[in-house]
């Protein structure tokens, strides 16, 4: 795996470009957590093969998640998961000294009419996964409860 050199940036060797069959003109696309180098001009078959490669990468990532989460076979702790993030107005967060975009958790005091909202001690949970991706993971058989636990722990699963 290549590490970025701050002075030089990321260097892609010509041999790598040739191996990837990208031709002379390439396009670099940067998206969240991914940099993609593709042919600048693509035929329909080039597009199909690129989609096939993305599918293979997606399948490999799904397999890693499934291996770490296990499958959900009526485990019980997946049914009542909170899939909504708590949102408060910015002025309230500022008054409480909580940075914007901080993960929040809520605790209800039984029969008191009081709900306490505070900064979470973790960065992510199942509520941070978009609904369509949660559905994909669920349909793949991944245990959502175990995935939630891994998200909260923030442990490395790959690399």
């Amino acid at each position: 795996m290549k590490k970025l050199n701050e002075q030089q940036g990321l260097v892609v060797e010509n041999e790598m470009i040739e191996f990837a069959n990208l031709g002379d003109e390439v396009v670099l696309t940067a998206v969240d957590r991914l940099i993609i180098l593709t042919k600048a001009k693509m035929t329909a078959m080039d597009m199909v093969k690129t989609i096939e490669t993305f599918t293979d990468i997606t399948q490999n990532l799904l397999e890693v998640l499934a291996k770490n989460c296990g499958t959900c076979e009526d485990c019980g702790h997946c049914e009542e998961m909170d899939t909504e993030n708590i949102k408060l107005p910015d002025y309230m967060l500022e008054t409480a000294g909580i940075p914007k975009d901080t993960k929040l958790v809520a605790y209800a005091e039984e029969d008191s009419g009081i709900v306490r909202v505070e900064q979470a001690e973790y960065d992510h949970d199942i509520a941070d996964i978009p609904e369509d991706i949660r559905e994909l993971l669920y349909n793949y058989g991944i245990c959502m409860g175990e995935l939630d636990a891994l998200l909260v722990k923030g442990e490395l699963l790959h690399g």
Side-chain angles (χ1 to χ4, degrees), residues 92-106:
M92 280 189 179
L93 294 171
E94 187 177 322
T95 301
I98 299 174
K100 276 179 26 177
D101 299 325
T102 297
K103 187 78 177 164
L104 301 173
V105 292

Side-chain angles (χ1 to χ4, degrees), residues 81-87 103-104 125-128 131 134:
M81 296 184 64
D82 188 5
T83 58
E84 297 290 325
N85 277 316
I86 298 169
K87 298 287 183 197
K103 187 78 177 164
L104 301 173
D125 63 21
I126 201 76
D128 297 316
E131 186 176 343
R134 277 197 318 266

Side-chain angles (χ1 to χ4, degrees), residues 15 23 30 60 62 77 83 96 100 106 110 128 137 143 155 158:
E15 293 81 25
N60 290 336
L62 285 167
H77 66 276
T83 58
K100 276 179 26 177
E110 194 170 328
D128 297 316
L137 299 173
C143 177
E155 294 176 1
H158 179 71

Side-chain angles (χ1 to χ4, degrees), residues 59-149:
Q59 183 65 37
N60 290 336
L61 292 172
L62 285 167
E63 287 173 10
V64 170
L65 270 179
K67 179 181 173 187
N68 283 276
C69 296
T71 57
C72 194
E73 297 169 3
D74 297 324
C75 65
H77 66 276
C78 296
E79 295 169 6
E80 295 184 24
M81 296 184 64
D82 188 5
T83 58
E84 297 290 325
N85 277 316
I86 298 169
K87 298 287 183 197
L88 292 176
D90 290 347
Y91 75 89
M92 280 189 179
L93 294 171
E94 187 177 322
T95 301
I98 299 174
K100 276 179 26 177
D101 299 325
T102 297
K103 187 78 177 164
L104 301 173
V105 292
Y107 303 97
E109 294 182 14
E110 194 170 328
D111 297 325
S112 69
I114 297 173
V115 176
R116 298 196 186 279
V117 177
E118 61 188 55
Q119 188 171 348
E121 294 181 6
Y122 54 87
D123 294 325
H124 301 287
D125 63 21
I126 201 76
D128 297 316
I129 299 178
E131 186 176 343
D132 59 332
I133 300 300
R134 277 197 318 266
E135 186 174 329
L136 168 75
L137 299 173
Y138 176 81
N139 289 337
Y140 193 80
I142 291 174
C143 177
M144 294 289 110
E146 288 299 321
L147 177 59
D148 186 47

Side-chain angles (χ1 to χ4, degrees), residues 28-36 54:
L28 182 72
T29 305
V31 294
D32 191 24
R33 292 174 177 66
L34 186 65
I35 295 174
I36 306 163
F54 284 139

